[in-house]
Amino acid sequence: MTDMVYGPRPVAGGEPILPRWWSTIDKWSLSCVLLLFGIGLLLGLASSPPLAARNGFDAFHYVERQAVFGGAALLALWVTTMMTPQLVRRLAVVGFVCAFVALAFLPFFGTDFGKGAVRWYSLGFASVQPSEFLKPGFVVVAAWMIAANQEVGGPPGRALSLALTVVIVGLLAIQPDFGQACLILFAWGVMYFISGAPILLLVALAVAVLLAGTVAYNGSEHFARRIDGFLSPDVDPTTQLGYATNAIREGGFFGVGVGEGEVKWSLPDAHTDFIIAVAAEEYGLMLVLAIIALYATIVIRSLVRLMRERDPFIRLAGAGLACTFGVQAMVNMGVAVRLLPAKGMTLPFVSYGGSSLIAGGIAVGMLLAFTRARPQGEIGDLLFSRRR
Amino acid sequence: MIRTPLRPLARILSARARGENPDAIERENLHQRHEEMRDRLRLRAEGRLLVMSVLFLCAFSVVGARMGLLAASEAVEPRAAASGASILAQRADITDRNGRILATNLSTYSLYAHPQQMIEPERVASALVEIFPDLKRDRLIKDFTGNRKFMWIRRKLSPEQRQAVHDIGDPGLLFGPREMRLYPNGRLAAHVLGGAGFGREGVHSAEVIGVAGVEKAFDGWLRDPANDGAPLALSIDLTLQTAMRQVLLGGMRLMNAKGAAGVLMDVHTGEVLAMTSLPDFDPNDRPRPLTEGDASDSPLFNRAVQGVYELGSTFKIFTAAQAMEMNLARPDTLVDANAPLRWGKHTIHEYQRKNYGPLLSLTDVIVKSSNVGTGNMALKIGAKAQRDFLDRLGVFDPLPLELVEAPGARPLTPANWSEIVAITATYGHGFSTSPTHLAAAYASLLNGGTLVRPTLLRQGRVAPGPRIVRPEVSRASAEMLRQVVVRGTASMGEVPGYAVGGKTGTADKVRTRGRGYYKDKNINTFASVFPADDPKYVLVVTLDEPSDNSGEKPRRTAGWTAVPVAAEVIRRTAPLLGLRPQIAPAPASGILLARE
């Protein structure tokens, strides 16, 4: 009645959603992610035909699949970035519970695809690796717990999150998937560090690691030989690592040319773990440096943006996600250049793999949702020059 | 630090006065405190996030720099470094006593195939069959087109063969470096050296292991890197070995023998200077062992070591020597030699049922090779003492020679050494030993009476072993053996200037099936020593089933077969050994007599 008399009540003057999203999103990071995905498709064109030939598919079968999964991943990323941090947290907790249950039931219903580690559920048309989806969910849940710990009278979140970490690491270790287990441990460590781990503890840890390393190096011949072998400049050229190193050398600064690479024919993991070697061989150092720069931009920009964040939960979750993402990329590339011992880890967005692509999209979507610009009370800082 | 109370009394009171709820003040203070704490935390987190960012920047820079370094360096072919090969292929050389090469290594190549990399399997198979005629084309095509990923084609290639395979030009054919064992002297000393084969094999190298003879007996030593490639020096003399093999080969043909063996030994050191067994083989291309039939017919069979035979009358000298050692007789003591000798239900005849008796001097017993004479001596000595004496000479023990075959060839002895065994043992029947055993026993008896241990390794000075007989007995034994050659059964063994002494042995071969002996198959042995007046070397020559067909009917005694062959060996080797021929050893007494 009132509406009829006075006309409709004006809608609360909210901003339109999409322009608001566009104005607050971290456009640099978003562009970097899109570029990485594009590079992934480009390298897929080079690296996956041998695999397709081995498995009897069309030459670009895996590129098509990658494009489909990539589309799904980008959609997931976009939808996730639109959410508020609260919504992200709620959904992430639900997703984490699902992924955790899936992970726990893996030994009973999972399959190992003949690779010796039970990590996948086979769905017929595709396979799902629960640990990929568990990672972002875990980061959010752990960040939530640690942040809650900081509230006055909050729950003992740190201890709880540590217990959760141990359980998950245990579950991953029995698969066995030590790479993911290390990643989970690392994510928790980063969040604990940022939430204010005592400096004394950090120093003690560093000293303990150094001491243990020295004792092991001097005491155990086996360990010492492993380390020496890793440090020694010559590498047996007939191993995967040798082929990868050689491909990087072969590529030089500008590469041997598109489609001219050889390493993809000799490396069974050329489309996943050693895709950076394919990139280095065919496109040279230029593309590799570009890829490194893209990852570095995403990680460092996100961390810098999170520095201004007032909400501890957002700060922790964002930092955890960014660091996990960055470390995964760094480990992958570090293995190829023999900075790190061999460890199967995919290059996010670039390596082939449906699970890792979609999970990566969700994770980066969360990260971008957390790093969106929102009022942080800077005015208060300026006007009242609050004690800092 | 001054704590601000959550409920400051002044404000509470004034608020109450104004009728406001004082809890709001507490909440406001709480909120303010919370804000302060968050600010503090954010400040700390800000620093730590900065640390993380810098760390990531550094880490990414390191990865990038490393990429740049790698990209700037030269690529290497993916090929395993030779230093990574875990198999030590280096094997020490084997030389003779003067350092001349008997066995050495040669770098060569093996040929293997990666069938899945092969472009034209059928053409490759045809070309390979042309190079290696023993390969089967159908078999190769089947292997090349099947599922095999790797197959050996040849273990060793000659340079010409390698070039020919190169010229096929197929990427599926690959070469692996090999070190192969080479015996430059071919068949010479084949049984001593044995041979070598490949053990564990990889593409990049293979282990060379000994399969027989010295190569196997010293396998560990030859492969031990601690020896630093020092060669293994054998006691064999290449020149003597050549001479002996030539003569034995000719003698074996002339005497229509199916096998021959010869051992030349230094009486003082026990060093085997030459050892030949015929027929022999080429250790570079070792034949396969016989899978059926008698192993002793294989050329791999070392008659000088593995061939245990009843060596016949050559053992008579030990009975004479023991009798002298026990002071039962002297060389000129007359011995009952009235044939035949009856012992229980056994009757011992002389050769061709002659009778040398009724009495013979001990020397003549040996010279005429009287079975009855030595049989009677054995009865005087006693079975146990005789057995102990032979045992001390080492003829019942496995040969202590450094050949892998030596311990396997055990002498055959009867379990119960009864008196009849003692009688037959005097003329070498009833137990079997190898020619090398015999040579060692002769050396021990004739070198002055101390035990020697036969060896194939070059020795420096050798300390004398335990005493077997007195030096006088040793001298007398040598003189008796000399007389055998001068006026006895071994008259064809005379080599002018070298004072050969020796004892023949003609033994009927033991039937391989059933009991008893063959009538027309003999093992003929001549155990000789030269020079007899100062024994330095012992030579044992054994011929298997010889027969001298030059006369009206075949002659099968040692005196007609083994002795002339041994004499020729001595004629050839004595000068090589540095012995001066003593031309016309005119007795000094004769000259004195003429002057008187």
Side-chain angles (χ1 to χ4, degrees):
Chain A
M1 195 71 200
T2 319
D3 289 356
M4 287 170 75
V5 174
Y6 298 105
R9 197 164 37 179
V11 178
E15 270 180 285
I17 292 175
L18 277 180
R20 189 172 127 84
W21 173 79
W22 179 246
S23 61
T24 54
I25 194 86
D26 182 2
K27 296 181 200 65
W28 282 95
S29 294
L30 187 64
S31 327
C32 290
V33 170
L34 291 175
L35 273 175
L36 280 176
F37 175 66
I39 290 174
L41 276 184
L42 181 69
L43 292 177
L45 287 172
S47 66
S48 70
L51 180 73
R54 272 202 294 278
N55 293 353
F57 294 117
D58 296 340
F60 296 115
H61 173 82
Y62 290 102
V63 184
E64 286 161 15
R65 277 177 74 94
Q66 177 85 340
V68 170
F69 281 122
L74 288 185
L75 193 69
L77 181 142
W78 184 62
V79 168
T80 317
T81 52
M82 308 267 269
M83 298 176 185
T84 61
Q86 282 73 24
L87 186 58
V88 168
R89 188 178 72 202
R90 282 168 200 152
L91 291 181
V93 170
V94 173
F96 168 76
V97 171
C98 295
F100 184 80
V101 171
L103 186 72
F105 281 106
L106 210 44
F108 310 107
F109 304 111
T111 171
D112 62 352
F113 289 118
K115 293 179 189 172
V118 185
R119 296 176 188 172
W120 296 273
Y121 284 111
S122 180
L123 299 182
F125 63 96
S127 58
V128 177
Q129 186 179 353
S131 57
E132 290 281 0
F133 292 93
L134 183 78
K135 260 186 300 180
F138 165 78
V139 170
V140 169
V141 168
W144 186 33
M145 286 177 169
I146 296 175
N149 198 34
Q150 294 181 347
E151 298 296 323
V152 177
R158 270 185 197 166
L160 283 177
S161 68
L162 179 60
L164 191 63
T165 312
V166 170
V167 170
I168 292 174
V169 165
L171 280 176
L172 287 171
I174 57 169
Q175 287 188 359
D177 188 351
F178 295 108
Q180 300 280 11
C182 287
L183 220 50
I184 292 281
L185 212 55
F186 173 79
W188 185 83
V190 163
M191 288 187 285
Y192 181 52
F193 171 66
I194 288 169
S195 77
I199 292 292
L200 204 63
L201 182 71
L202 295 176
V203 172
L205 263 180
V207 169
V209 166
L210 269 182
L211 272 183
T214 315
V215 167
Y217 187 84
N218 291 333
S220 157
E221 197 192 343
H222 170 75
F223 186 78
R225 208 179 297 150
R226 286 283 296 266
I227 296 292
D228 286 342
F230 172 62
L231 291 179
S232 87
D234 13 283
V235 44
D236 184 359
T238 52
T239 56
Q240 288 221 38
L241 264 183
Y243 277 111
T245 311
N246 216 36
I248 296 168
R249 287 179 170 158
E250 202 71 62
F253 292 102
F254 301 104
V256 296
V258 178
E260 297 291 316
E262 291 291 329
V263 70
K264 58 197 179 189
W265 294 100
S266 32
L267 282 184
D269 289 337
H271 59 299
T272 54
D273 292 358
F274 286 101
I275 196 156
I276 198 73
V278 176
E281 190 182 25
E282 298 208 349
Y283 299 92
L285 185 63
M286 294 297 115
L287 184 69
V288 175
L289 288 185
I291 293 173
I292 295 176
L294 290 176
Y295 283 114
T297 309
I298 295 173
V299 175
I300 292 168
R301 260 194 81 85
S302 302
L303 289 179
V304 168
R305 278 173 83 97
L306 287 169
M307 279 165 66
R308 275 177 289 161
E309 179 59 56
R310 290 173 66 82
D311 187 296
F313 160 70
I314 295 177
R315 192 166 59 218
L316 288 178
L321 287 168
C323 291
T324 317
F325 177 77
V327 158
Q328 195 171 339
M330 206 152 59
V331 168
N332 177 289
M333 292 186 286
V335 169
V337 295
R338 274 172 48 72
L339 278 171
L340 296 167
K343 194 74 237 133
M345 219 171 258
T346 55
L347 200 54
F349 286 108
V350 178
S351 291
Y352 173 80
S355 285
S356 93
L357 205 53
I358 293 179
I362 294 174
V364 174
M366 288 178 177
L367 175 63
L368 290 179
F370 289 140
T371 58
R372 277 171 71 172
R374 59 180 71 80
Q376 301 293 357
E378 288 98 335
I379 292 291
D381 291 350
L382 287 176
L383 290 185
F384 309 117
S385 61
R386 272 199 295 235
R387 211 192 73 211
R388 287 208 154 194
Chain B
M1 177 180 160
I2 301 163
R3 280 184 69 100
T4 338
L6 282 179
R7 292 167 78 96
L9 192 57
R11 282 190 66 188
I12 297 272
L13 290 178
S14 59
R16 278 202 182 139
R18 273 183 267 122
E20 289 167 7
N21 188 356
D23 289 352
I25 295 171
E26 187 188 345
R27 272 204 298 279
E28 187 195 323
N29 276 333
L30 257 179
H31 178 74
Q32 199 177 340
R33 238 186 235 190
H34 191 228
E35 283 295 301
E36 276 170 22
M37 185 194 73
R38 286 188 115 181
D39 275 342
R40 214 168 44 244
L41 278 175
R42 186 176 83 161
L43 203 63
R44 186 161 65 179
E46 219 170 276
R48 294 198 171 183
L49 279 170
L50 194 65
V51 168
M52 289 303 297
S53 313
V54 171
L55 278 182
F56 265 97
L57 189 64
C58 293
F60 276 120
S61 310
V62 168
V63 172
R66 176 85 190 191
M67 281 277 183
L69 279 181
L70 271 183
S73 64
E74 268 308 304
V76 290
E77 276 283 302
R79 190 167 288 169
S83 61
S86 58
I87 302 172
L88 185 81
Q90 189 62 49
R91 193 175 171 88
D93 289 350
I94 301 179
T95 66
D96 82 338
R97 61 186 299 113
N98 300 317
R100 287 175 290 198
I101 294 288
L102 292 177
T104 186
N105 301 314
L106 197 67
S107 295
T108 177
Y109 287 88
S110 64
L111 175 63
Y112 61 96
H114 282 171
Q116 85 274 30
Q117 291 174 2
M118 210 168 270
I119 294 171
E120 300 165 283
E122 306 207 345
R123 186 180 72 83
V124 171
S126 309
L128 281 178
V129 170
E130 247 169 60
I131 302 169
F132 310 107
D134 56 322
L135 294 177
K136 298 274 177 290
R137 184 168 181 273
D138 297 342
R139 184 70 216 266
L140 282 178
I141 291 179
K142 196 166 155 243
D143 284 336
F144 288 165
T145 52
N147 286 331
R148 295 186 68 171
K149 294 214 161 109
F150 178 92
M151 61 177 286
W152 289 109
I153 297 176
R154 278 283 151 145
R155 296 285 196 272
K156 295 182 262 187
L157 291 183
S158 73
E160 294 82 5
Q161 288 171 335
R162 181 161 184 249
Q163 186 56 45
V165 175
H166 256 314
D167 291 341
I168 298 176
D170 197 287
L173 293 175
L174 297 149
F175 300 103
R178 275 286 176 286
E179 206 154 77
M180 64 172 267
R181 200 68 165 157
L182 181 76
Y183 303 94
N185 306 302
R187 292 168 173 264
L188 208 58
H191 290 98
V192 174
L193 294 171
F198 290 118
R200 285 180 299 153
E201 250 179 313
V203 166
H204 303 295
S205 61
E207 207 176 35
V208 179
I209 54 166
V211 295
V214 169
E215 288 271 27
K216 188 162 187 189
F218 287 96
D219 192 44
W221 194 92
L222 289 167
R223 288 200 280 156
D224 190 354
N227 296 324
D228 209 16
L232 180 69
L234 297 187
S235 62
I236 299 286
D237 184 310
L238 201 57
T239 322
L240 295 173
Q241 179 79 21
T242 313
M244 182 193 259
R245 181 172 179 275
Q246 267 183 6
V247 173
L248 282 186
L249 199 62
M252 188 175 86
R253 294 220 181 102
L254 281 176
M255 302 300 169
N256 307 303
K258 71 177 229 189
V263 180
L264 178 64
M265 189 182 282
D266 186 311
V267 293
H268 297 291
T269 60
E271 290 170 296
V272 176
L273 300 173
M275 177 186 275
T276 301
S277 167
L278 294 171
D280 54 8
F281 61 94
D282 186 352
N284 292 306
D285 184 19
R286 223 178 125 79
R288 293 182 176 280
L290 294 183
T291 48
E292 53 187 27
D294 194 353
S296 63
D297 291 336
S298 163
L300 294 173
F301 188 74
N302 187 352
R303 288 161 192 274
V305 172
Q306 290 167 289
V308 289
Y309 307 113
E310 296 192 350
L311 288 173
S313 311
T314 48
F315 274 88
K316 281 184 178 140
I317 190 67
F318 297 116
T319 308
Q322 193 180 8
M324 290 188 282
E325 173 72 13
M326 294 168 81
N327 291 320
L328 294 173
R330 289 148 46 88
D332 51 359
T333 307
L334 290 177
V335 175
D336 177 12
N338 201 5
L341 167 64
R342 293 186 194 282
W343 180 257
K345 58 184 172 110
H346 301 279
T347 310
I348 310 296
H349 291 286
E350 301 286 16
Y351 177 64
Q352 291 178 341
R353 301 187 180 243
K354 289 177 184 166
N355 188 355
Y356 303 118
L359 291 175
L360 272 178
S361 73
L362 188 59
T363 306
D364 284 350
V365 166
I366 301 298
V367 169
K368 295 197 187 305
S369 193
S370 165
N371 296 344
V372 175
T374 51
N376 281 320
M377 290 308 303
L379 291 176
K380 282 191 194 166
I381 291 166
K384 188 171 181 312
Q386 183 204 30
R387 192 188 191 287
D388 289 347
F389 185 70
L390 290 176
D391 196 21
R392 274 192 288 148
L393 282 168
V395 296
F396 299 145
D397 299 327
L399 205 58
L401 206 61
E402 297 88 348
L403 288 178
V404 76
E405 296 88 359
R410 298 180 70 92
L412 307 173
T413 51
N416 179 19
W417 197 269
S418 62
E419 295 210 309
I420 183 64
V421 172
I423 293 170
T424 60
T426 60
Y427 54 93
H429 279 243
F431 71 101
S432 303
T433 54
S434 72
T436 310
H437 275 108
L438 185 65
Y442 262 62
S444 302
L445 178 65
L446 298 170
N447 66 358
T450 54
L451 186 70
V452 296
R453 186 179 170 281
T455 176
L456 271 170
L457 294 184
R458 187 175 66 193
Q459 308 286 322
R461 294 177 61 85
V462 174
R467 183 153 288 284
I468 303 286
V469 293
R470 297 192 304 270
E472 312 85 89
V473 174
S474 174
R475 257 197 317 281
S477 305
E479 180 53 29
M480 281 181 188
L481 292 174
R482 174 69 189 140
Q483 290 305 316
V484 175
V485 173
V486 171
R487 56 191 177 89
T489 53
S491 55
M492 291 176 113
E494 179 65 4
V495 180
Y498 289 110
V500 178
K503 183 72 197 80
T504 57
T506 305
D508 293 335
K509 262 187 117 169
V510 181
R511 285 183 187 275
T512 46
R513 281 188 200 153
R515 292 171 57 88
Y517 296 89
Y518 289 109
K519 280 276 168 273
D520 53 353
K521 291 187 179 177
N522 296 341
I523 294 280
N524 287 357
T525 309
F526 184 49
S528 53
V529 59
F530 60 97
D533 41 17
D534 178 18
K536 288 199 167 69
Y537 301 101
V538 162
L539 171 71
V540 174
V541 168
T542 301
L543 293 180
D544 191 358
E545 297 178 22
S547 79
D548 172 18
N549 297 340
S550 58
E552 284 173 2
K553 50 180 183 176
R555 285 176 286 222
R556 298 205 178 88
T557 56
W560 283 95
T561 54
V563 173
V565 175
E568 184 59 23
V569 172
I570 294 171
R571 209 186 322 278
R572 290 278 301 275
T573 54
L576 294 170
L577 287 164
L579 293 179
R580 274 169 171 274
Q582 294 179 335
I583 306 298
S589 56
I591 298 171
L592 285 174
L593 278 172
R595 204 176 276 170
E596 282 166 9

